[in-house]
Amino acid sequence: MSVFKDGLLKGRTAFITGGGSGIGAGIARRFAAQGARVALLGRTPEKLEAVAQELRAAGAEASCHPADVRQYGAVDAALCDAAKIHGGIDILVNSAAGNFLAPAASLSANGFRAVVDIDLCGTFNACRAAFAHLTATRGCVVSITATQATVPMPLQCHAGAAKAGIEKLTRDLALEWGRLGVRVNSVAPGPIEGTEGMTRLAPGDTRSHLDRRVPLGRYGRIDEVADAVLYLVSPAAAYITGASLTIDGGAALLGAGPFLDLMGE
Ligand code: NAP
Ligand code: COA
């Protein structure tokens, strides 16, 4: 159940990277339920098709675009295909990312590069390839970052650097593209339950960890992140650009303190 009125995105098309699972799929579901046509990009065709079939069964238009966000040509072609199929692109959501826990001292240069390549360069690739489509529709971008972008976190230097880069890119693109009518914002989730991210970053978390790590005392839900993104692409956010909206139950207010035990002795 969404708190927004029905049909908020009727007639609009959203292109969602990482739309085949987790938060990206949740955003696709929320957007489709609000009347949007959705185009899903990710590397695994089966994951994209499963989400698309579910959306079609519920009456939405959905297309699948298997590609790696690190390949500019493939992302550009996917956006052109999606625009052709759906008649344009109004919204770009960047949710594709890779992450794992690794101490900086033993992380390989290639491991660092892989995450920056997917998250930051992948987001630039999609924004750059979407530019012509979004100026044609006076559309908008929302990129999913993480609170690691601003809060130093142990074992997260690669993801933190990549997400901080995306938040800076968000402000730069907002500045350059504002006059063309294109808004660019980001959403920084904290811990969101039932996701691949949490499986990788918080294996074995318990209730007592939660109480210590999140002022609101619980993990967030995928639909809560989807609602934050829906707000930013809606007319209610027509005067918002260059912003990062944190959705973390207040976890970032505590800084990295509660996570320092991850570093061990
Ligand atoms: P997820 O389900 O693994 O979502 C990531 C998606 O990105 C997957 O569908 C994956 O599909 C796709 N992807 C990965 N590498 C790609 C590449 N090179 N090219 C194209 N697609 C690629 O994880 P999630 O936890 O929902 O995370 C979604 C977003 O939320 C990420 O940006 C993450 O950083 C952010 N976030 C999550 C949390 C959390 O608590 N889960 C917290 C803060 C931020 P393929 O592998 O099939 O390509
Ligand atoms: N700890 C330390 N280094 C790791 C690692 C880990 N858990 N997992 C991968 N790496 C390193 C690899 O060792 C490799 O470096 P090397 O060549 O020096 O050995 C480098 O990262 C690239 O690994 P590779 O498996 O070739 O990368 P990929 O491009 O196929 O996959 C990942 C990228 C590693 C991010 C992969 O986990 C992925 O695709 N994730 C997507 C889903 C995801 O992470 N979801 C959560 C989002 S928050």
Side-chain angles (χ1 to χ4, degrees):
M1 234 270 292
S2 175
V3 296
F4 294 94
K5 72 169 191 181
D6 287 348
L8 200 56
L9 301 183
K10 203 165 178 341
R12 295 170 77 190
T13 297
F15 188 97
I16 304 171
T17 76
S21 64
I23 290 171
I27 294 166
R29 290 186 183 99
R30 179 62 96 235
F31 280 16
Q34 290 290 341
R37 300 178 281 256
V38 296
L40 309 170
L41 181 144
R43 290 170 301 178
T44 316
E46 297 76 23
K47 283 165 59 177
L48 302 177
E49 204 45 61
V51 176
Q53 276 178 13
E54 178 197 324
L55 300 182
R56 288 180 200 126
E61 277 181 49
S63 60
C64 300
H65 307 272
D68 189 320
V69 290
R70 289 171 285 194
Q71 307 298 327
Y72 180 80
V75 174
D76 188 33
L79 274 147
C80 289
D81 285 348
K84 212 172 285 171
I85 292 167
H86 301 293
I89 304 287
D90 303 273
I91 298 163
L92 167 67
V93 175
N94 294 298
S95 190
N99 201 0
F100 45 78
L101 291 174
S106 59
L107 176 63
S108 71
N110 198 36
F112 186 89
R113 185 183 307 112
V115 170
V116 171
D117 238 5
I118 298 169
D119 295 25
L120 176 55
C121 300
T123 295
F124 175 78
N125 287 344
C127 289
R128 174 65 188 84
F131 173 72
H133 304 289
L134 294 176
T135 49
T137 55
R138 297 180 78 80
C140 61
V141 178
V142 176
S143 299
I144 311 301
T145 61
T147 50
Q148 288 93 314
T150 43
V151 178
M153 293 257 186
L155 318 188
Q156 283 288 276
C157 74
H158 44 310
K163 297 297 196 181
I166 298 173
E167 293 197 351
K168 177 63 166 62
L169 179 68
T170 295
R171 296 192 292 276
D172 288 333
L173 297 185
L175 181 68
E176 289 195 27
W177 295 357
R179 285 180 196 182
L180 302 166
V182 177
R183 297 184 301 109
V184 188
N185 291 296
S186 60
V187 164
I192 305 303
E193 68 185 7
T195 60
E196 180 65 23
M198 283 308 286
T199 306
R200 289 176 179 232
L201 304 188
D205 245 11
T206 63
R207 177 79 226 169
S208 65
H209 284 116
L210 267 179
D211 287 342
R212 221 156 55 88
R213 290 179 183 172
V214 188
L216 288 185
R218 65 173 179 87
Y219 285 156
R221 298 190 312 266
I222 289 176
D223 63 288
E224 291 175 319
V225 179
D227 272 342
V229 177
L230 181 59
Y231 164 66
L232 284 173
V233 305
S234 79
Y239 201 52
I240 299 179
T241 196
S244 174
L245 178 57
T246 298
I247 169 155
D248 72 339
L253 301 172
L254 303 172
F259 295 92
L260 293 178
D261 52 353
L262 287 175
M263 286 199 291
E265 296 306 315

